[in-house]
Structures are given as structure tokens and as C-alpha cells.
């Protein structure tokens, strides 16, 4: 059985006070959300402590937006698995296109981060996806296959989530057509050796397109940026029809 996972990626948004304010509205709005939908909030490192305390006893799981492969060391600006585990973090986004694009993340470092998360019992959410130039040049499939092959070397697919995030659809309002996202996610699934890996779609997911996205047979959830910052909008996404 493939799990359904709706995850918010807050990116570099929200102070601790703002995070708490979000929770007040959100927790109430997801009280009736079907139990088989997993809800995850991937928040900035600085909000993990306050979120951890306030999510205790709720169904909402906590995620980080990155994870380093060493447990400690001289790696300024990084965060390790033991530090995240202490905060109750169970999911870690790895290889988001913004990390690859702006912070020099490579398939090699993505692979190391995935392995580190799994080694410590956390579930990594691996992001893959093509740029507009790659799509226009007909390289979508080849690019994603290459990412999967390198990123997933020695990775245990039984404890993994993949997010297909076409870069051109992130933060642009230009959502990938639901059927096209379904097609690419089907191709990703065919590349994996474990059929049950949950595969999400990410890129301008909103309350007004989530129903169509979740109606697609290959899509097991969403990784949501902008719309996960508003309690009502993210609750509507969690409560898709
Ligand atoms: P938006 O939903 O803001 O397009 O961001 C998607 C994303 O990057 C989630 O990781």
C-alpha cells in the first residue's frame, strides 16, 4: 500500500512566533482530515524546537529542509541527524532544487545526505525535477533518470519518499499539468525497484488544483511551498476531495 503524504516546505519563512500562530489555525482545520493522510511540516531549523513541543501528541509530523552526512564536525551552517532527532524530526527534505541551484548541492552530496538520514532512522524526501531549458530541449526524462541513478546509490527504497518538482513550476504559479505530472511520476516509479515508494508532486500546488493532482493514479501526495504558509490553504490541501 502506497502512503499518502502531504508535506509543507516552509523554506526560509516564519519566526517561532509566526510558526505558533500558524499551528493554532492549522491544527483545528485538520481535525477531520482522514487518518490515512500523513501530514508533515518541514520548517526552518530555528522553528523546530517550538514546533516539536507544540506538535507533541498531534498527528502532524516534523521535517527538516536539509541534513548533513556527518554526525558532527567543522561544517559551518550545517545540521546533523542527531541534532534533528533530538527535536523529534522524522522527515528530511534532501536535494531540493533551491539547494542544488543556489548552494552547490550535487548528486554526490545528495546521496550522502540521503544515506545519513536513513542511517538514523529518518525518512528522506528526495526532490528531483527538470529545468525549463531541459524540458524544452526534450531532456526531462534523461535528466530525472540520471538524478535518480546517482542520488539513490545504496539508498534503501523502503524508507524513502520522492518528490517530483519541475523547477519551472516552483513558485511560479505555472503548475505542471496534472496528467503530465502523473506521466513523469509513473516513469520515476518504473525506475525504482520498490513499487510502494510514495511519490509526491511539488510546484505551485494550491487549494484550487490539489483535487485534480490527487485524482491522478500515480501521485501519492504533494510537497507544498507557498500555499503551506497559510493555515487555511494548507488545510484545504490536506482535505483534498
Ligand atoms: P511552491 O509550492 O511555492 O511552488 O514551492 C514548491 C516547492 O518547492 C516545495 O518544495
Amino acid at each position: 500500500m502506497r502512503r499518502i503524504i502531504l508535506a509543507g516546505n516552509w523554506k526560509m519563512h516564519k519566526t517561532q512566533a509566526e510558526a505558533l500562530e500558524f499551528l493554532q489555525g492549522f491544527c483545528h482545520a485538520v481535525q477531520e482530515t482522514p487518518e490515512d493522510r500523513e501530514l508533515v511540516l518541514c520548517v526552518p531549523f530555528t522553528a523546530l524546537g517550538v514546533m516539536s513541543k507544540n506538535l507533541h501528541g498531534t498527528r502532524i509530523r516534523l521535517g527538516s529542509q536539509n541534513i548533513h552526512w556527518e554526525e558532527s564536525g567543522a561544517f559551518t551552517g550545517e545540521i546533523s541527524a542527531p541534532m534533528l532527532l533530538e527535536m523529534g524530526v522524522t522527515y528530511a527534505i534532501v536535494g531540493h532544487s533551491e539547494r542544488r541551484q543556489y548552494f552547490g548541492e550535487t548528486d554526490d552530496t545528495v546521496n550522502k545526505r540521503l544515506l545519513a538520514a536513513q542511517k538514523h532512522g529518518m525518512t528522506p524526501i528526495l526532490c528531483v525535477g527538470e529545468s525549463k531549458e531541459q524540458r524544452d530541449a526534450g531532456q526531462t526524462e534523461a535528466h530525472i533518470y540520471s538524478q535518480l541513478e546517482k542520488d539513490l546509490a545504496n539508498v534503501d527504497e523502503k524508507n524513502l519518499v520522492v518528490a517530483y518538482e519541475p523547477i519551472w513550476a516552483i513558485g511560479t504559479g505555472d503548475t505542471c499539468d496534472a496528467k503530465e505530472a502523473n506521466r513523469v511520476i509513473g516513469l520515476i516509479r518504473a525506475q525504482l525497484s520498490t513499487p510502494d515508494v510514495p511519490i509526491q508532486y511539488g510546484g505551485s500546488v494550491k487549494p484550487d488544483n490539489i483535487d485534480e493532482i490527487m485524482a491522478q493514479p500515480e501521485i501519492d501526495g504533494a510537497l507544498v511551498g507557498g500555499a503551506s504558509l497559510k493555515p487555511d490553504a494548507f488545510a484545504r490541501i490536506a482535505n483534498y476531495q
Side-chain angles (χ1 to χ4, degrees):
M1 258 292 269
R2 279 152 43 193
R3 279 142 60 219
I4 298 169
I5 305 173
L6 299 146
N9 173 10
W10 281 1
K11 308 192 180 185
M12 197 174 71
H13 291 285
K14 293 199 190 292
T15 62
Q16 297 185 65
E18 289 164 347
L20 276 181
E21 196 182 325
F22 171 95
L23 271 192
Q24 279 168 7
F26 185 67
C27 288
H28 183 71
V30 294
Q31 272 171 357
E32 307 282 307
T33 304
E35 285 298 326
D36 62 351
R37 301 181 188 178
E38 233 174 277
L39 306 178
V40 185
L41 290 171
C42 301
V43 307
F45 300 140
T46 46
L48 287 173
V50 75
M51 291 294 275
S52 177
K53 282 196 196 98
N54 285 276
L55 289 179
H56 195 76
T58 76
R59 59 180 291 177
I60 303 161
R61 312 270 223 105
L62 195 53
S64 66
Q65 299 172 16
N66 205 355
I67 179 171
H68 195 263
W69 53 89
E70 294 292 344
E71 292 179 12
S72 62
F75 300 103
T76 303
E78 291 282 333
I79 196 150
S80 73
M83 297 168 181
L84 295 170
L85 282 174
E86 192 184 40
M87 296 286 181
V89 171
T90 53
Y91 284 92
I93 296 175
V94 176
H96 191 281
S97 60
E98 287 151 16
R99 299 290 323 163
R100 298 182 193 252
Q101 210 177 338
Y102 306 133
F103 301 101
E105 200 78 68
T106 65
D107 287 313
D108 181 50
T109 56
V110 167
N111 176 251
K112 287 170 152 175
R113 293 180 197 272
L114 291 171
L115 292 170
Q118 291 191 333
K119 183 178 162 206
H120 289 87
M122 297 165 61
T123 304
I125 302 175
L126 166 65
C127 301
V128 297
E130 80 288 357
S131 65
K132 174 92 171 64
E133 294 70 35
Q134 287 165 326
R135 175 159 281 263
D136 290 348
Q139 294 165 354
T140 298
E141 293 80 1
H143 174 68
I144 292 172
Y145 292 161
S146 161
Q147 284 186 318
L148 289 172
E149 189 186 346
K150 294 176 191 154
D151 297 353
L152 292 178
N154 299 314
V155 167
D156 177 9
E157 292 183 5
K158 293 201 176 59
N159 185 24
L160 176 72
V161 176
V162 177
Y164 168 52
E165 297 210 311
I167 298 170
W168 48 271
I170 295 178
T172 57
D174 188 12
T175 325
C176 182
D177 177 73
K179 291 201 169 52
E180 172 60 8
N182 186 65
R183 183 188 74 86
V184 177
I185 288 175
L187 294 176
I188 292 172
R189 194 176 305 288
Q191 289 297 111
L192 303 175
S193 29
T194 311
D196 284 353
V197 176
I199 310 181
Q200 301 171 310
Y201 167 75
S204 297
V205 174
K206 302 274 183 284
D208 63 8
N209 58 28
I210 187 67
D211 298 343
E212 192 190 1
I213 290 167
M214 291 308 295
Q216 306 302 316
E218 294 288 352
I219 303 183
D220 302 321
L223 185 56
V224 186
S228 75
L229 296 171
K230 300 178 206 108
D232 290 351
F234 194 44
R236 172 62 185 85
I237 288 168
N239 295 325
Y240 71 84
Q241 312 285 306

